[in-house]
Amino acid sequence: MAAEHKIAGGHEMAPARVVRLANDIAAQFSVQTDERAAKAIAAHITMFWEPRMTAELVFAVRNPDSGLSPRAEAAARLLATQH
Amino acid sequence: MGLLKEHDFGTPAKPGAPTVTLEIDGAQVCVPDGTSVMRAAATAGIDVPKLCSTDSLEPFGSCRLCLVEVDGVRGTPSSCTLPVAEGMKVTTQSAKLEKLRRGVMELYISDHPLDCLTCAANGDCELQDMAGVVGLREVRYGYAGENHLDLAKDTSNPYFDFDSSKCIVCSRCVRACQEVQGTFALTISGQGFESRVSPSAGESFFDSECVSCGACVQACPTGTLQEKSVVDLGMPTRTVLTTCAYCGVGCSFKAELRGTELVRMVPYKDGGANEGHSCVKGRFAFGYASHPDRVLKPLLRERLTDEFREVEWDEAISFVARRLREIQARYGPGSIGGISSSRTTNEEVYVVQRMIRAAFGNNNVDTCARVCHSPTGFGLKQTFGTSAGTQDFKSVAQADVILLIGANPTDGHPVFASRMKKRLRQGAKLIVADPRRIDLVRSPHVEAAYHLPLRPGTNVALMNAMAHTIVTEGLMNTEFVAERCERVDEWVEFISRPENSAEAAAVITGVPVEDIKAAARLYATGPNSAIYYGLGVTEHSQGSTMVMAMANLAMATGNIGREGVGVNPLRGQNNVQGACDMGSFPHELPGYRHVSDDAVRSIFENLWGVSLLAEPGLRIPNMFDAAVAGSFRGLFVQGEDIAQSDPNTAHVQAALSALDLLVVMDLFINETAKLAHVVLPGTSFLEKDGTFTNAERRINRVRPTMAPKTGKHEWQVICEIAQAMGYEEMRYDSSAQIMDEIAATTPTFAGVSFELLDKVGSVQWPCNPAAPLGTPTMHVDKFVRGKGQLIPTQYVPTTERSTRRFPLLLTTGRILSQYNVGAQTRRTANVAWHHEDVLEIHPQDAEVRGINDGDSVRLASRIGETTLHAKFSDRMPLGIVYTTFHHPVSGANVVTTENSDWATNCPEYKVTAVQVALKTATESARPAHEELPVGS
């Protein structure tokens, strides 16, 4: 049984930084189809990001001017459905 | 013979099984074909007298002392140059031979100072030994003839003296410099009686091309080349076999001592990584361990504005534990974390990650590999299935083509560079991909077939273009790929696209089309082609992509799974491989197993008696961001100077200053410790008891030469902090017990124990029942992940571009004499070679800016600016400048950016857009960047 942490979400990390990191990941999956890329980006984030960073990204996607690239945004929306 | 004085077989061992049988002094001996009679005799326990031969060098046959008689052979051939033959009958002792040898010794001694009792080499002098062995009782020629006894001593080198009056001109030093080190700094000048050993063109040792590796000192049979420490302290009386604490080569050394005083470090002949060789750092730069700057008592202060006060261990440990728990109570369990060190042992790293996971209750653990080889871990795991290099160092001796990318081994990994140079002198071809013209592009008896001086940040485009050439020209190893790899069609379609052609890459990289194609063809047709790489690959925004692109290239050409090939990271710090192996990354438990794996987590949960988090923790740069944002408040840092080594110094300092508690465990008050609330004194490698794992996955013992000067081992301190935090279960009796736990929980270490290492010397993981003595070459019949994965590697340019405001690109690296942030080497005589970081700049880039060689210049990026002295260098291409980061005052990382590798957040140290300008007289009066004062 895994231990659990309460994730507050929102502004526990630098929001602009999290957006930039997500965009950096998304840029690497440009050779793949939109759907496959979104899943791969979301999987990478789940695999390597600390939950408060993911929460920050999910928080950021609510903002229409988030600065997220289309594929990063699609990945963020996928992650939002998992939270 | 013991460790202090190892048995010298006279000439090197020959490979292969013993097949040739001969008789020496009536004894039968069987040895491999090609073995010398001298070595065969030594194998049988018969030591033929010798002076010019030693088993680290090819035979030379000049001293005429090792003469033997062979049945059916006229004369008295030298046993060192005489190969064995089936049925040969050899006599090593006869009246005739005794007379000849005594005559030779008389000549030597007639021109040698007879100061044996006061000579520093007394007791460790082969000339002295041989005089005894041949029974020399008189010198018929007397001592009044012409001689060399008045020659001046050269004391210019900080670590050893050269006393030419004691030289017997055996050429062992000259040959060691050529054969072992490959620098060719020494020669024999003059002829006949005037023959003398000479550094370079008659210069002093310090001013010559000598790199102070110590091979000449090691080879010298007399007191001619002698360590100053032996001159000062006398001969050592005991030795402890241990491992160097500098780079990732992980050389084995004999620490030779008098009592607990270290006299010298002597490279160990049977060391798996170095086989008797060394560099200036490991051989000589150990004085930092006893430097007066060492912190030996815990230091504590409530606020950063307070002065540190010395306290006892109990107070420091209870303070740390209490404050960490207070922070967690107020800000949550994830508000604290820690960073393990690549300079400490596997056992020390293991307990740090256990403390964080089990006592802190989170996965906020990271290590300094984050800023160097984390992309290696990611890239090789994705493609091959495990996060490590594929070969042992010896493998390079079987390589026909060496592709060296983003590494400068003659400075960063000098002992491995010597192996590489030896193979290149034998005819292997070299391709260097590096913006700078590093030494290996052209140095004595080594010249690269191709130097590809690509623009910083364009590695992936170059690698893709090489793969494109190989695939489109039909050079792919289709049989290997079909049998051993997956995603083949997808990758072939991707790499064949015009955007990945050499023509397209030439525009991006600046490397001529034909050079890219020719290098690709050479690599593809090896037949054995090996890739070696360094931080010039990983420290980019596409570091992980580049690692995968190199793995693709190796798989596409079938250059994986045997000797002489592979993908080999040259790791930076002594135990960076081990720190990663031991679960220092926030997403992985020991053995590179993801924290989300329930089965793996349960192994540790059952053993440690706690529940573990299934989600990754914060990486180092994430910790900084979270600290600035306010959600991360307490940090434990073991043996890493993040305030100097990590990019964007201002951001790092802001993050550290925002913490409620910063605990630093280190040898010295480094830049990070200046921002700490608690400094816990660490132990040097001479005090540690444990293991290091080098870049070839070799697990080597680190044995203590003395008790910890601080009173406690680092693993004991970590355990006591965990206990003080309420995690009572974390207790060990010894570091051997910690390794036993590692073996019990980590399949790749299943067979490792101190007992095994003490018995066999070292092993390379995986070491388990299937491979009880380790695994020198990985992925032999199948990849660790089953099939190798060919992954499309899209070239995505870095966002860091040169602009009108910042028209140059800065890249950073290291230099031979210094190590990392310089905390150790700056506290040794190595500063004689490099007392400050300088800015290497092409003369034309300097000229248009009105800069002269040696001028003080301002180096500015969009992040910050600092001051350095300019050094003209035609090894730099136009538009690119270079500096090192060994000195805090120069603060190279004041200008580096927050750009990072997309997959791992490894910083992009290798590409920073900068401007360089001459400092005015007013500006020169104040440095742009200053070291932090203590208490800032």
Side-chain angles (χ1 to χ4, degrees):
Chain A
M1 180 69 181
E4 287 184 6
H5 272 178
K6 186 167 68 83
I7 304 301
H11 304 299
E12 290 196 340
M13 297 290 295
R17 178 78 170 157
V18 167
V19 165
R20 181 176 172 179
L21 294 176
N23 287 343
D24 286 349
I25 296 166
Q28 299 296 322
F29 291 91
S30 58
V31 293
Q32 297 185 0
T33 62
D34 286 350
E35 188 182 358
R36 192 173 165 191
K39 284 181 180 170
I41 297 161
H44 182 91
I45 288 171
T46 303
M47 186 77 95
F48 295 104
W49 280 23
E50 201 255 8
R52 87 187 81 170
M53 295 173 66
T54 312
E56 195 70 61
L57 181 66
V58 169
F59 192 78
V61 81
R62 297 179 198 161
N63 180 352
D65 300 321
S66 65
L68 286 166
S69 68
R71 287 186 165 192
E73 186 177 326
R77 293 194 185 285
L78 265 182
L79 290 165
T81 64
Q82 297 163 13
H83 273 70
Chain B
M1 293 284 174
L3 263 186
L4 200 55
K5 202 162 188 174
E6 292 176 81
H7 192 198
D8 188 339
F9 290 80
T11 64
K14 295 294 176 187
T19 55
V20 181
T21 303
L22 67 160
E23 187 181 303
I24 303 176
D25 294 345
Q28 296 280 314
V29 57
C30 189
V31 292
D33 190 26
T35 301
S36 71
V37 167
M38 174 181 279
R39 187 175 180 98
T43 305
I46 301 163
D47 288 326
V48 182
K50 62 180 179 56
L51 279 172
C52 74
S53 60
T54 183
D55 57 16
S56 62
L57 302 172
E58 292 302 320
F60 194 53
S62 80
C63 75
R64 313 304 298 165
L65 208 60
C66 69
L67 310 176
V68 293
E69 293 177 299
V70 182
D71 282 9
V73 175
R74 290 176 58 192
T76 50
S78 339
S79 62
C80 65
T81 53
L82 181 66
V84 295
E86 185 66 30
M88 183 184 259
K89 289 189 176 178
V90 179
T91 302
T92 71
Q93 288 292 339
S94 69
K96 180 182 176 183
L97 291 170
E98 285 171 15
K99 186 178 177 186
L100 283 168
R101 289 175 186 151
R102 209 173 288 143
V104 168
M105 282 304 298
E106 279 187 89
L107 286 166
Y108 278 123
I109 299 301
S110 69
D111 186 13
H112 192 81
L114 299 177
D115 61 349
C116 292
L117 290 181
T118 54
C119 177
N122 187 18
D124 189 26
C125 173
E126 293 179 43
L127 188 68
Q128 192 180 44
D129 294 345
M130 290 306 110
V133 166
V134 305
L136 185 71
R137 298 292 176 263
E138 61 172 348
V139 174
R140 289 167 292 162
Y141 313 108
Y143 305 98
E146 194 174 358
N147 58 53
H148 300 88
L149 303 184
D150 294 331
L151 291 178
K153 193 188 283 190
D154 176 355
T155 60
S156 61
N157 188 286
Y159 295 117
F160 60 84
D161 294 339
F162 173 57
D163 186 349
S164 190
S165 71
K166 293 181 176 174
C167 179
I168 59 171
V169 201
C170 64
S171 294
R172 273 165 62 163
C173 57
V174 177
R175 289 181 287 139
C177 192
Q178 295 172 356
E179 293 177 28
V180 179
Q181 167 56 27
T183 293
F184 293 80
L186 302 180
T187 189
I188 300 291
S189 66
Q191 293 182 328
F193 187 77
E194 301 302 324
S195 301
R196 292 284 95 186
V197 170
S198 172
S200 297
E203 298 165 301
S204 71
F205 261 87
F206 186 77
D207 293 329
S208 75
E209 292 156 345
C210 167
V211 293
S212 298
C213 68
C216 57
V217 180
Q218 181 76 358
C220 181
T222 69
T224 306
L225 283 156
Q226 187 71 63
E227 298 94 342
K228 285 184 195 302
S229 58
V230 172
V231 175
D232 292 343
L233 301 170
M235 276 296 160
T237 55
R238 70 183 182 101
T239 187
V240 176
L241 191 57
T242 190
T243 304
C244 180
Y246 280 115
C247 79
V249 177
C251 296
S252 294
F253 275 91
K254 296 186 297 176
E256 298 194 346
L257 304 108
R258 293 167 61 90
T260 57
E261 187 168 35
L262 182 60
V263 176
R264 63 181 176 185
M265 295 287 286
V266 178
Y268 182 45
K269 200 160 65 174
D270 293 328
N274 57 320
E275 295 181 298
H277 192 34
S278 59
C279 79
V280 62
K281 295 188 284 286
R283 178 75 155 93
F284 297 117
F286 51 80
Y288 71 89
S290 54
H291 196 279
D293 285 354
R294 277 279 301 270
V295 179
L296 298 175
K297 298 268 286 182
L299 303 173
L300 191 152
R301 59 184 171 185
E302 288 284 339
R303 290 168 295 276
L304 294 185
T305 48
D306 296 343
E307 293 291 321
F308 279 122
R309 61 186 175 87
E310 276 192 3
V311 298
E312 296 302 319
W313 276 110
D314 287 350
E315 183 179 352
I317 287 166
S318 62
F319 179 87
V320 169
R322 178 172 54 80
R323 289 287 288 268
L324 287 172
R325 283 292 187 231
E326 285 171 358
I327 291 168
Q328 285 188 302
R330 184 164 177 190
Y331 298 102
S335 59
I336 64 173
I339 299 173
S340 72
S341 173
S342 293
R343 295 179 202 169
T344 58
T345 63
N346 287 318
E347 295 72 18
E348 288 164 333
V349 172
Y350 182 87
V351 294
V352 168
Q353 63 90 33
R354 179 177 173 183
M355 171 181 76
I356 291 165
R357 294 200 154 100
F360 290 14
N362 62 47
N363 284 318
N364 292 335
V365 55
D366 208 354
T367 189
C368 35
R370 176 65 52 209
V371 299
C372 63
H373 269 289
S374 51
T376 290
F378 179 86
L380 295 184
K381 186 163 187 181
Q382 298 292 313
T383 48
F384 297 158
T386 195
S387 303
T390 60
Q391 313 295 127
D392 61 0
F393 289 142
K394 283 180 192 167
S395 166
V396 77
Q398 306 299 320
D400 302 303
V401 175
I402 296 167
L403 174 53
L404 181 67
I405 313 176
N408 185 14
T410 52
D411 280 45
H413 304 84
V415 172
F416 174 71
S418 292
R419 279 185 189 271
M420 186 182 277
K421 286 192 286 187
K422 189 171 190 175
R423 182 59 184 159
L424 294 170
R425 291 197 302 275
Q426 291 168 345
K429 299 285 190 295
L430 175 66
I431 304 164
V432 174
D434 199 299
R436 293 195 308 150
R437 198 185 69 241
I438 60 171
D439 284 351
L440 281 171
V441 172
R442 193 165 192 273
S443 60
H445 300 275
V446 168
E447 183 160 16
Y450 299 99
H451 175 212
L452 313 177
L454 73 174
R455 291 191 188 103
T458 64
N459 285 338
V460 173
L462 176 69
M463 207 50 29
N464 283 350
M466 288 181 68
H468 176 97
T469 303
I470 287 164
V471 169
T472 58
E473 293 190 2
L475 297 171
M476 188 165 78
N477 187 333
T478 49
E479 191 180 339
F480 181 92
V481 168
E483 187 184 336
R484 306 253 333 242
C485 302
E486 63 186 27
R487 294 179 71 182
V488 180
D489 292 344
E490 181 189 354
W491 181 76
V492 168
E493 185 280 321
F494 163 78
I495 209 70
S496 301
R497 294 178 190 172
E499 72 213 45
N500 293 319
S501 66
E503 286 78 8
V507 176
I508 297 165
T509 63
V511 179
V513 172
E514 279 313 310
D515 283 0
I516 296 174
K517 289 185 174 179
R521 291 169 192 142
L522 180 61
Y523 177 82
T525 54
N528 279 352
S529 296
I531 295 173
Y532 291 89
Y533 71 95
L535 303 181
V537 159
T538 55
E539 290 176 342
H540 286 276
S541 60
Q542 274 201 290
S544 291
T545 311
M546 178 59 180
V547 173
M548 294 188 289
M550 293 186 306
N552 289 342
L553 198 70
M555 288 188 284
T557 53
N559 279 306
I560 203 84
R562 62 180 187 278
E563 276 198 286
V565 299
V567 180
N568 304 285
L570 296 173
R571 298 265 186 173
Q573 301 207 54
N574 49 316
N575 198 35
V576 68
Q577 179 72 55
C580 299
D581 300 343
M582 292 297 103
S584 286
F585 286 139
H587 66 286
E588 284 174 336
L589 288 157
Y592 302 102
R593 293 165 294 170
H594 200 270
V595 293
S596 63
D597 186 323
D598 292 343
V600 173
R601 223 172 42 255
S602 69
I603 294 170
F604 293 95
E605 287 176 333
N606 290 336
L607 190 69
W608 295 348
V610 293
S611 290
L612 300 174
L613 281 182
E615 297 98 2
L618 294 169
R619 299 164 172 176
I620 293 172
N622 309 148
M623 292 179 192
F624 296 154
D625 290 341
V628 171
S631 67
F632 189 75
R633 317 289 294 207
L635 178 63
F636 174 89
V637 182
Q638 181 194 33
E640 187 183 358
D641 192 1
I642 47 180
Q644 187 183 340
S645 65
D646 285 36
N648 193 352
T649 304
H651 180 61
V652 176
Q653 288 179 356
L656 298 181
S657 303
L659 295 169
D660 293 335
L661 179 68
L662 175 59
V663 182
V664 170
M665 177 178 258
D666 210 291
L667 300 180
F668 304 106
I669 299 290
N670 57 25
E671 296 303 291
T672 309
K674 290 174 184 175
L675 296 167
H677 301 86
V678 182
V679 178
L680 303 174
T683 52
S684 79
F685 76 112
L686 295 172
E687 298 143 59
K688 291 185 186 297
D689 185 8
T691 55
F692 290 154
T693 306
N694 74 355
E696 49 171 2
R697 296 170 279 105
R698 186 181 301 280
I699 306 160
N700 259 317
R701 278 283 277 123
V702 183
R703 296 183 179 88
T705 64
M706 64 188 83
K709 289 187 173 188
T710 61
K712 285 180 190 286
H713 283 293
E714 289 185 26
W715 61 265
Q716 291 174 312
V717 177
I718 305 300
C719 288
E720 287 175 22
I721 292 172
Q723 291 160 22
M725 291 179 77
Y727 181 49
E728 291 287 341
E729 294 88 336
M730 190 157 153
R731 293 174 188 275
Y732 299 96
D733 297 329
S734 66
S735 49
Q737 195 182 38
I738 301 171
M739 177 52 83
D740 291 344
E741 181 173 314
I742 295 165
T745 55
T746 310
T748 46
F749 277 67
V752 182
S753 67
F754 282 18
E755 188 182 4
L756 175 73
L757 296 175
D758 290 343
K759 189 172 157 192
V760 303
S762 63
V763 292
Q764 291 171 264
W765 66 256
C767 175
N768 50 34
L773 293 178
T775 311
T777 306
M778 294 198 78
H779 316 299
V780 173
D781 296 318
K782 66 172 189 174
F783 287 96
V784 168
R785 68 183 300 282
K787 293 236 177 186
Q789 183 175 205
L790 288 160
I791 299 175
T793 48
Q794 176 80 17
Y795 168 62
V796 178
T798 173
T799 56
E800 185 71 7
R801 315 264 173 88
S802 54
T803 60
R804 287 181 65 185
R805 190 172 165 213
F806 300 111
L808 303 172
L809 289 180
L810 169 74
T811 185
T812 62
R814 60 171 73 171
I815 201 165
L816 171 66
S817 61
Q818 296 290 331
Y819 176 69
N820 205 270
V821 294
Q824 294 143 282
T825 45
R826 281 186 283 110
R827 291 180 171 91
T828 71
N830 278 26
V831 291
W833 288 283
H834 185 84
H835 64 277
E836 64 172 342
D837 296 320
V838 295
L839 186 75
E840 288 190 39
I841 185 169
H842 191 284
Q844 287 182 28
D845 281 330
E847 188 181 348
V848 297
R849 290 169 173 78
I851 295 167
N852 290 311
D853 196 29
D855 278 348
S856 183
V857 296
R858 193 172 65 240
L859 175 71
S861 73
R862 60 184 168 83
I863 296 297
E865 67 176 60
T866 189
T867 302
L868 296 156
H869 286 109
K871 182 185 176 189
F872 285 9
S873 171
D874 63 3
R875 66 169 62 203
M876 300 304 303
L878 275 169
I880 299 171
V881 293
Y882 171 85
T883 191
T884 48
F885 57 96
H886 303 306
H887 292 266
V889 69
S890 46
N893 286 317
V894 171
V895 300
T896 51
T897 72
E898 72 282 8
N899 274 20
S900 67
D901 172 50
W902 66 272
T904 66
N905 293 147
C906 179
E908 190 170 53
Y909 289 109
K910 302 298 184 183
V911 192
T912 306
V914 294
Q915 178 59 294
V916 178
L918 186 66
K919 285 200 85 170
T920 63
T922 315
E923 287 175 323
S924 295
R926 56 175 176 80
H929 170 71
E930 293 183 42
E931 288 181 77
L932 291 169
V934 177
S936 57

